[in-house]
Amino acid sequence: MPLNLPTFYKRTGSAIVFAIIMLGGLLWNDWAFLGLVCIICSLCLWEYCKLMQRIDKEAYWPKWLPIVLIVAGLIILIPAFFLNHLFDSSYPDWPVRLWGVLPVLPAILLLAGALAKRTYLVAVIQSFGGILYIALSLLLLLNMRMQDMILPIALILMIWTNDTMAYLVGSFIGKTPFSTISPKKTWEGTIGGALLTIIGAVVYGYFSHRYTLIDWVVLALCATIAGTMGDLLESKLKRMADVKDSGAIMPGHGGALDRFDSLLVAAPFAYVYANYFMK
């Protein structure tokens, strides 16, 4: 896969703007992070709905259902954030998450009962899949921020490093296709990106006084392995929908779901490790 310089420059320029916005939300304060996560959630859910409508053209998707889905996602995120602050981050995680999820469940059931069409029920089930895939994953990322702000920052930077290094290594020496789902991915690029990301985590972990070297390596593995699986999952959805990108908000990068596909799958794995094993 030869390096396409115009594409590379376009991707780099939009990535710099994207990085500035992301780092502002990540580094400023908790409220900025909440706003960033809510925007990501809304954009990803909107694009997810469009993909589902293209994948299953027989399913009945009312025009208002994507809006309801976005509202449901925000209902999950915002109350959990306020409860964390109300209880000074000491409130047990599971009740916080359940408090956010429970209002969504009866709403979905009410929507399902509003119309007796089977095709509508399919759309409701697909909508609930979007909640699990996107909103709950971002909720876990939000809770990681409540544990330690460095954790989501590190995870996102590792994912960016893995994506960039995999692209560069694959561009120069990539020859062996990694998967039919994503033909442009190569084994050389995937392995090169993962190794360079892990090396970077080892170097940072060696000089860092936060957590252990093993902790940083495990987070890097979450970013590389689970992140790659997230990228393949979204690629599969796009192939089923017969589209190149999930959206067009970033020149050279596609939509929000294209940008955060790795994070949405890596975040739950990183959260479980950070919450139960990191000290």
Side-chain angles (χ1 to χ4, degrees):
M1 184 173 64
L3 181 63
N4 186 317
L5 287 179
T7 299
F8 177 73
Y9 292 143
K10 182 168 66 173
R11 286 172 61 90
T12 301
S14 60
I16 290 173
V17 175
F18 170 75
I20 292 173
I21 296 173
M22 284 292 297
L23 290 176
L26 288 169
L27 298 175
W28 191 4
N29 55 37
D30 289 345
W31 298 96
F33 187 77
L34 173 65
L36 178 66
V37 169
C38 288
I39 291 172
I40 294 172
C41 182
S42 300
L43 292 174
C44 287
L45 284 173
W46 180 263
E47 292 177 2
Y48 171 85
C49 291
K50 297 304 178 184
L51 288 177
M52 290 299 105
Q53 291 176 56
R54 292 182 65 94
I55 291 172
D56 189 353
K57 294 183 173 61
E58 294 185 359
Y60 173 61
W61 276 81
K63 292 183 179 180
W64 44 263
L65 186 54
I67 302 299
V68 171
L69 187 60
I70 291 172
V71 172
L74 297 180
I75 288 175
I76 289 175
L77 292 172
I78 296 175
F81 174 83
F82 279 98
L83 282 175
N84 268 291
H85 272 268
L86 179 64
F87 289 94
D88 196 24
S89 299
S90 62
Y91 195 73
D93 273 344
W94 282 109
V96 170
R97 292 202 296 274
L98 288 175
W99 195 97
V101 174
L102 287 177
V104 180
L105 300 181
I108 290 178
L109 292 176
L110 288 172
L111 289 174
L115 291 171
K117 297 180 180 179
R118 183 194 65 81
T119 53
Y120 177 73
L121 295 179
V122 170
V124 171
I125 293 172
Q126 292 170 344
S127 299
F128 189 65
I131 290 292
L132 295 176
Y133 174 38
I134 297 170
L136 291 185
S137 180
L138 292 174
L139 175 61
L140 297 182
L141 189 72
L142 189 62
N143 283 344
M144 285 175 64
R145 166 83 182 203
M146 297 300 142
Q147 179 179 341
D148 187 345
M149 69 174 292
I150 195 63
L151 295 177
I153 294 174
L155 180 64
I156 291 172
L157 289 178
M158 287 175 182
I159 290 173
W160 288 355
T161 301
N162 182 57
D163 288 347
T164 304
M165 294 299 104
Y167 175 73
L168 292 176
V169 173
S171 297
F172 285 110
I173 64 172
K175 295 180 179 179
T176 311
F178 179 75
S179 170
T180 56
I181 297 175
S182 185
K184 291 184 179 180
K185 280 187 178 296
T186 63
W187 275 105
E188 293 84 357
T190 301
I191 294 173
L195 287 177
L196 291 172
T197 302
I198 293 171
I199 290 171
V202 168
V203 172
Y204 180 81
Y206 180 80
F207 291 102
S208 174
H209 298 293
R210 287 189 177 187
Y211 308 112
T212 67
L213 184 62
I214 297 297
D215 291 332
W216 293 114
V217 171
V218 173
L219 282 181
L221 289 173
C222 291
T224 55
I225 298 176
T228 299
M229 294 302 102
D231 183 58
L232 289 177
L233 171 62
E234 200 248 352
S235 295
K236 179 64 174 178
L237 293 177
K238 289 190 294 185
R239 285 177 69 87
M240 293 170 64
D242 194 25
V243 295
K244 181 182 178 182
D245 298 316
S246 65
I249 64 169
M250 286 185 63
H253 292 275
L257 206 53
D258 295 314
R259 237 355 26 227
F260 297 104
D261 51 4
S262 298
L263 180 63
L264 293 175
V265 175
F269 289 94
Y271 170 81
V272 169
Y273 181 78
N275 194 58
Y276 295 104
F277 298 99
M278 294 178 71
K279 302 298 181 183

